Amino acid sequence: MLLAVRSAGALHRLLDVLPVFEGDARISTRVTLVPGSAFDVDALAALERSGARTVSWERACSDKHDLVLTASPKGALHALSGPRVVMPHGAGFNKTVTGEGSPLLPSGLDPSFLLVDGEPWAALHALAHGEQITRLAEHCPPAAARADVVGDPTLDRLLGSIGHRESYRAVLGTGERRLIVLTSTWGPESLMAVRPELPGELVGRLPHDAYQVALVLHPNEYSRTGSFDLTRHLAPALSAGLVLPGPYAEWASLLVAADAVVTDHGSTALYAAALGRPVIGAYEGDTELIPGTPMARMLAASPRLSEASDLDRVLRSAEALDTRPFADAAFALPGQALSRLRSELYQLLGLSPPDVPAAPQPLPRPGSAPRHPSAFAVRADVSGERIAVARFPPSTPEEVHHLAAEHPGAGSRQVQSASVLWRRARPASREPHSSTWTAGGWTARVFDEAPGCRTAAAILTPERCLVRSRSAGLLSVRIEACRSAGRVMRTDPTGVVSAVHAWLRATPHWTPPVSLVCDFGPLAVQVEVTPAKSADLDYEL
């Protein structure tokens, strides 16, 4: 069997099909790179990561194959021997590609790619919905005669991974925050081409303890820009906690973990809709989106995000809209794709399928957690013994009250400017010779090093902090975990330190102990402040 791929995205789609052949030693797989794509560099890298055996295009054209699978109709695929099967590499055919094939037609429906000398070169077009066959018949009747509805194996991976949602969110450190996923396709009308500033604007405007922001990019965008430049362009947002998943499978894990999606006209959002996620439109183009398609109908019905500062309001409107009917127009036969593909593909192979059921593989957990921000601009509103805290990146345009920073990780400029400095305790050293600060010693040293610091805090555990205040002296802070319906929920203790700092400044005359309520996004956290306990003073950092 030969997999013929032009891009990393096409390879990823075919990898989702391969469970059809699991357990069958009769099937050997080779992969070839179809020449002619502007995105073939990343396709080579994706092939290397997959571990698949590859053959050159020249060798592939001369060899005999029992089956050829591809997820793009472009290129000289008719030169490959054996029955050829075309899989879509997205959720339907929703956009046109400027400068390729017939004007205003998506490549998956374009006769210039589907016919050779007037005849279809593919033995099977394996489509996800009957509406796609209807549209294919409108534009290319000979190809439609060889089309069948099998469902979507990538969707089935998503649906089969819903039970892993909590583990994905745990890796991401989402907690009780709302995870907002931005999705961008590729091309001149994509989100990253038209509104490249939006990820940074959302990270800068949304309170860190209420929202987490992720950016899912089309593999072609990775290929066009390159991971090196991409991480440089996004560096400020990544430092502030933006999640940037890998282009294969991790993007789908993020959709499972998401609470809402902000999207351009790329079909990724239809997968989110199939999961019932709220969808917010951010498409500003006027030529690539094909009217009447499921994606066009969903964007027309969904609220639109014009300004990052409007997300709270727009999200409420999006949550009132059921997005699943739009996905139903793009995906048929949920959960059946692999079994139907197995029947079709083994028939083309002339073999009986194995007895082992074909089941979609659960999506992997995200590869790594996002960066923990090392500095925050903090707004803390004190009302009696209740403090509402909102934390943003230092560059935020939001109104704030003080800067809080990690010592020394935030860098000398922010450390010297911060009113609040913190340090997290590290695991004990395994080296036979070691030297470390106690919490009491470190907080005293920080006051000497940073004269502008008003509050220094040693984060001992998620529930315990030692706080040294220039006005109130040494304090122990206990943070109570929130409990509800059998769940234990915690907030970042560095935010609690900022709340205590703000409360001390607003309440110069008080008698310990005192109980405070600190509001962080969805959580109301109980905090007890007492004179410093000796165990906290002597805690080794």
Side-chain angles (χ1 to χ4, degrees):
M1 177 174 66
L2 180 72
L3 308 185
V5 303
R6 281 173 51 90
S7 66
L11 174 64
H12 298 161
R13 291 297 169 148
L14 295 181
L15 294 179
D16 286 348
V17 175
L18 293 188
V20 162
F21 306 102
E22 285 185 353
D24 195 339
R26 299 170 296 176
I27 307 295
S28 61
T29 305
R30 297 292 183 268
V31 186
T32 192
L33 186 64
V34 182
S37 172
F39 307 107
D40 54 4
V41 173
D42 267 27
L44 286 170
L47 282 172
E48 182 72 21
R49 290 191 297 269
S50 74
R53 295 288 299 276
T54 61
V55 296
S56 68
W57 175 249
E58 291 74 16
R59 171 76 180 274
C61 289
S62 62
D63 285 350
K64 294 186 181 299
H65 313 289
D66 297 302
L67 185 65
V68 178
L69 297 183
T70 185
S72 170
K74 299 175 184 177
L77 295 164
H78 61 278
L80 300 171
S81 69
R84 310 172 197 98
V85 177
V86 185
M87 302 286 303
H89 63 274
F93 310 102
N94 301 287
K95 56 177 283 193
T96 63
V97 178
T98 305
E100 290 188 352
S102 305
L104 305 180
L105 286 184
S107 57
L109 305 178
D110 190 343
S112 64
F113 294 122
L114 303 179
L115 304 178
V116 175
D117 297 328
E119 294 295 323
W121 53 261
L124 173 65
H125 290 266
L127 301 180
H129 195 282
E131 180 265 354
Q132 296 165 14
I133 294 182
T134 301
R135 293 177 62 206
L136 183 58
E138 178 185 350
H139 298 290
C140 188
R146 299 185 180 184
D148 199 2
V149 177
V150 299
D152 187 301
T154 300
L155 174 68
D156 289 354
R157 287 194 77 186
L158 282 152
L159 296 175
S161 301
I162 291 173
H164 297 267
R165 173 179 164 86
E166 288 192 7
S167 68
Y168 301 155
R169 290 172 69 90
V171 171
L172 297 170
T174 307
E176 294 302 304
R177 296 181 292 174
R178 284 175 164 177
L179 174 57
I180 308 299
V181 175
L182 282 73
T183 71
S184 176
T185 186
W186 64 282
E189 294 187 359
S190 69
L191 179 69
M192 289 305 290
V194 179
R195 301 179 68 178
E197 73 288 344
L198 185 58
E201 288 180 350
L202 283 174
V203 170
R205 287 282 191 180
L206 298 177
H208 176 79
D209 300 296
Y211 290 97
Q212 185 177 37
V213 181
L215 175 62
V216 167
L217 296 173
H218 192 285
N220 287 359
E221 184 65 27
Y222 278 94
S223 183
R224 182 186 70 85
T225 306
S227 295
F228 181 80
D229 275 343
L230 191 60
T231 53
R232 285 196 313 109
H233 299 166
L234 294 170
L238 292 170
S239 296
L242 177 72
V243 181
L244 185 65
Y248 175 53
E250 281 189 44
W251 68 269
S253 304
L254 265 290
L255 294 189
V256 174
D259 292 292
V261 168
V262 178
T263 185
D264 56 17
H265 58 313
S267 62
T268 298
L270 284 169
Y271 290 103
L275 298 171
R277 303 291 181 261
V279 172
I280 297 168
Y283 175 56
E284 294 188 352
D286 58 4
T287 62
E288 291 185 352
L289 181 62
I290 298 176
T293 59
M295 190 67 207
R297 294 198 297 272
M298 183 167 71
L299 285 177
S302 299
R304 187 176 179 279
L305 183 68
S306 298
E307 301 289 339
S309 57
D310 289 341
L311 187 122
D312 256 335
R313 175 184 59 79
V314 175
L315 181 57
R316 289 192 293 273
S317 298
E319 289 172 337
L321 176 67
D322 185 1
T323 58
R324 285 169 291 192
F326 302 106
D328 291 342
F331 306 112
L333 310 173
Q336 301 181 43
L338 292 184
S339 61
R340 286 179 172 269
L341 275 169
R342 172 173 279 186
S343 176
E344 296 276 4
L345 299 182
Y346 272 89
Q347 184 175 350
L348 290 172
L349 285 166
L351 296 174
S352 298
D355 294 332
V356 180
Q361 298 174 349
L363 295 164
R365 296 196 300 174
S368 59
R371 299 181 200 174
H372 293 297
S374 59
F376 292 100
V378 184
R379 182 171 66 232
D381 296 313
V382 179
S383 178
E385 294 177 349
R386 191 164 196 137
I387 311 101
V389 177
R391 300 191 296 167
F392 307 91
S395 59
T396 183
E398 294 287 320
E399 180 183 344
V400 295
H401 299 143
H402 68 263
L403 179 68
E406 182 181 18
H407 182 285
S412 58
R413 182 175 179 180
Q414 289 179 332
V415 164
Q416 292 300 321
S417 302
S419 298
V420 175
L421 292 173
W422 80 79
R423 173 177 169 174
R424 299 181 194 270
R426 300 181 181 90
S429 172
R430 296 184 178 181
E431 298 300 321
H433 301 281
S434 65
S435 175
T436 189
W437 287 98
T438 64
W442 177 81
T443 53
R445 175 191 176 227
V446 165
F447 271 6
D448 292 336
E449 286 189 357
C453 174
R454 310 309 300 169
T455 301
I459 312 300
L460 312 181
T461 72
E463 296 86 17
R464 293 169 57 196
C465 305
L466 178 78
V467 170
R468 186 185 291 269
S469 166
R470 290 195 189 271
S471 62
L474 283 162
L475 304 168
S476 285
V477 175
R478 294 292 184 271
I479 307 165
E480 186 177 331
C482 300
R483 298 174 182 272
S484 175
R487 293 177 63 83
V488 180
M489 298 158 285
R490 292 184 172 88
T491 194
D492 182 356
T494 64
V496 172
V497 172
S498 278
V500 171
H501 166 82
W503 185 82
L504 290 173
R505 295 201 65 181
T507 317
H509 306 293
W510 63 286
T511 302
V514 65
S515 293
L516 306 175
V517 178
C518 305
D519 293 313
F520 296 93
L523 297 182
V525 180
Q526 302 287 331
V527 175
E528 183 181 90
V529 182
T530 66
K533 296 177 170 56
S534 58
D536 294 344
L537 284 163
D538 294 335
Y539 197 100
E540 294 184 16
L541 301 180

